[in-house]
Amino acid sequence: MKILLLLPFLFSLQAQSVPPPTTTSPAAFAFIAADDTNIQYTGRWEHATPTARWCAWQGSSITVLLDGSRIEADLDVGSSTEWFRVIVDGNHQDSRKLTITPGRKWVTLAGGLGPGQHRVDLVKESYAGGNITFHGLRIRGTGLATPPPRPSHRIEFYGDSNLAGSSNESEKDGGHNKLVGVHFGFSGVLARMLDAQYHLIAAGGETLNSMSNRFDRMRRYNENPNWDFQRYRPEVVIINLGANDV
């Protein structure tokens, strides 16, 4: 396994801001449970609960191949507003950033899709400090097909606010969570360039010392449960720390 140490810097691309999503009536929808084998999870997701999955770190994602016209997710973001990005059929340029307010609710990911199969990716852009819980999907259409093959390589990122995507969508270095974005940040862009899955363990204010206590965590502020590294073995580890040690 190779380890690459980056000097602290900010590598970012501007992302397009869009209005928050809406929800719709459950009539004529089919429910897909969170443990369905056609739902592909990437990142540090906890799979201990049969009916739900939770994660904390930004960059965690869900991928499905939908044969249908509409898809919604049953999400609980806890007590803090979180931001997500939805990418349909690999169209990153026209992807939508979703603002999801506290509590559990149905969130529209995509609607009005044409006939055939459509790849839908849901990426956690921010980390306001708590867990988000995914309870399943409801779809209008035939169902979910076998998900697409995973990227051929695996990367693990550890870092501070630079890798966490802080202020990634602000030319004036604005600090609000709504301006955080990892999909168009260094980790997301590099992973796509190299055809790689990625796990991102990063947060503003982290130092070389503090990250040594967090590298194996499922969530930033709680030691338990620890991440099982047998579930994901990176080929390359990229570390971007040091700015907060100066």
Side-chain angles (χ1 to χ4, degrees):
M1 179 175 67
K2 300 179 181 178
I3 298 180
L4 176 62
L5 179 64
L6 297 183
L7 295 176
F9 70 97
L10 180 63
F11 184 107
S12 65
L13 297 178
Q14 282 300 107
Q16 184 178 9
S17 177
V18 299
T22 59
T23 56
T24 184
S25 167
F29 278 83
F31 180 74
I32 308 294
D35 63 352
D36 191 284
T37 56
N38 286 326
I39 300 176
Q40 185 179 94
Y41 295 90
T42 301
R44 293 189 176 183
W45 288 89
E46 174 61 293
H47 288 209
T49 305
T51 59
R53 302 285 186 265
W54 66 260
C55 71
W57 296 106
Q58 63 271 59
S60 300
S61 66
I62 296 168
T63 300
V64 297
L65 193 59
L66 169 69
D67 190 349
S69 62
R70 191 178 188 89
I71 182 169
E72 300 183 359
D74 183 358
L75 290 171
D76 186 346
V77 299
S79 59
S80 301
T81 298
E82 294 280 6
W83 284 263
F84 293 75
R85 184 165 296 278
V86 178
I87 306 98
V88 178
D89 293 331
N91 186 348
H92 301 276
Q93 182 176 350
D94 294 327
S95 61
R96 298 190 305 131
K97 191 171 186 181
L98 309 180
T99 303
I100 304 181
T101 54
R104 181 176 176 180
K105 56 179 63 66
W106 283 101
V107 179
T108 300
L109 304 184
L113 301 175
Q117 295 181 344
H118 300 275
R119 173 174 174 153
V120 180
D121 294 274
L122 178 66
V123 181
K124 189 172 187 283
E125 287 270 46
S126 63
Y127 184 5
N131 303 338
I132 67 101
T133 305
F134 170 69
H135 294 276
L137 301 166
R138 63 186 183 195
I139 66 167
R140 182 173 289 157
T142 302
L144 298 182
T146 301
R150 290 184 179 274
S152 56
H153 299 292
R154 299 176 304 279
I155 303 175
E156 188 108 48
F157 294 93
Y158 296 98
D160 51 28
S161 57
N162 290 334
L163 282 186
S166 299
S167 304
N168 193 47
E169 298 175 17
S170 172
E171 295 178 354
K172 298 182 179 180
D173 198 25
H176 196 279
N177 278 332
K178 69 180 180 181
L179 301 173
V180 172
V182 298
H183 188 71
F184 290 112
F186 179 77
S187 56
V189 171
L190 182 64
R192 292 192 294 279
M193 289 175 62
L194 299 179
D195 187 33
Q197 307 172 56
Y198 75 96
H199 286 197
L200 174 60
I201 313 303
E206 291 291 346
T207 64
L208 291 165
N209 182 62
S210 66
M211 185 54 72
S212 69
N213 297 317
R214 305 193 200 280
F215 76 97
D216 60 349
R217 293 186 181 183
M218 292 282 293
R219 45 195 170 187
R220 185 181 185 188
Y221 296 109
N222 198 314
E223 295 180 7
N224 296 307
N226 284 335
W227 173 246
D228 180 4
F229 285 98
Q230 295 301 317
R231 291 174 56 187
Y232 180 83
R233 301 180 68 86
E235 299 167 90
V236 176
V237 175
I238 297 178
I239 301 172
N240 183 185
L241 291 163
N244 298 309
D245 294 271
V246 177

